[in-house]
Amino acid sequence: MDQIKFHPFTYPPPTVHRPLFIAHRPPSTVNRQLSTALRPSAHHRPPLTTHRSPAGTYGDVDDDKCIDCPAGKYASDAGQSSCTSCVAGLYSADAATQCSDCPEGTYSAAEATTCTDCSVGYYMSEPAASACLACGTGTYASSEGSKGCTDCLAGYSASSTGASSCSPCASGTYSEDGSSECTKCDGG
């Protein structure tokens, strides 16, 4: 029988081919449990991860999808499982990442989608208000969305709060600017 000569550092020799044997082993119990646990089923879905829901949306674990936050709510961070309600004085549109202040002359309740103008006789001089304030006596606001009240002119008065206009003084009476009532003239 001929001997094949090969270099001592080469194994197997280049001219000799060895058959490839693959031994089949039954899977171990651990491998079987692991493969079963990793296999998706109709009853088990992996939970949403933080990178799946961008800011302005929240993750719906049951449907495995991201949903825009509705108007009046927001999600400032990615991966939130629910949206946060805007507090009174703030509002938001759909898919908001933050709530916005209502401007001066307006107000809002919690979870607002828009701001509401102050009614006539009422005002708001600050942003992010949850209510408007009534004009004081001697002042008025004749239009909606007022940022402040106007003093009644001399010869006019407003005796109640929340006035939309001032009333003229009756004959024989007078008033200074910003008066809540007219004063009887002295005879003479």
Side-chain angles (χ1 to χ4, degrees), residues 36-50:
T36 303
L38 295 176
R39 188 179 319 132
S41 71
H43 303 290
H44 172 73
R45 292 185 185 186
L48 290 171
T49 57
T50 56

Side-chain angles (χ1 to χ4, degrees), residues 15 19 26 46 52-53 55 77-78 127 132 148 175 183-184:
T15 57
R52 296 197 63 193
S53 298
D77 297 318
C132 295
S175 71
T183 306
K184 190 173 185 177

Side-chain angles (χ1 to χ4, degrees), residues 138 140 150-157 166-167 169 175-179:
Y140 70 100
T150 305
D151 285 345
C152 293
L153 296 174
Y156 291 83
S157 69
C166 297
S167 302
C169 291
S175 71
E176 301 291 326
D177 287 344
S179 293

Side-chain angles (χ1 to χ4, degrees), residues 53-105:
S53 298
T57 68
Y58 67 99
D60 185 339
V61 176
D62 293 333
D63 291 336
D64 199 25
K65 64 181 177 179
C66 298
I67 299 171
D68 288 350
C69 289
K73 296 186 176 192
Y74 71 99
S76 58
D77 297 318
Q80 290 188 212
S81 60
S82 64
C83 299
T84 305
S85 297
C86 294
V87 297
L90 305 178
Y91 72 99
S92 74
D94 289 332
T97 58
Q98 65 182 13
C99 297
S100 300
D101 291 350
C102 287
E104 298 168 347

Side-chain angles (χ1 to χ4, degrees), residues 98-177:
Q98 65 182 13
C99 297
S100 300
D101 291 350
C102 287
E104 298 168 347
T106 67
Y107 71 98
S108 75
E111 294 188 13
T113 59
T114 60
C115 299
T116 305
D117 285 341
C118 295
S119 300
V120 294
Y122 291 79
Y123 75 100
M124 181 40 61
S125 59
E126 301 290 325
S130 59
C132 295
L133 303 173
C135 291
T137 58
T139 65
Y140 70 100
S142 61
S143 62
E144 293 182 346
S146 292
K147 297 175 185 175
C149 299
T150 305
D151 285 345
C152 293
L153 296 174
Y156 291 83
S157 69
S159 59
S160 62
T161 60
S164 59
S165 63
C166 297
S167 302
C169 291
S171 180
T173 62
Y174 73 96
S175 71
E176 301 291 326
D177 287 344

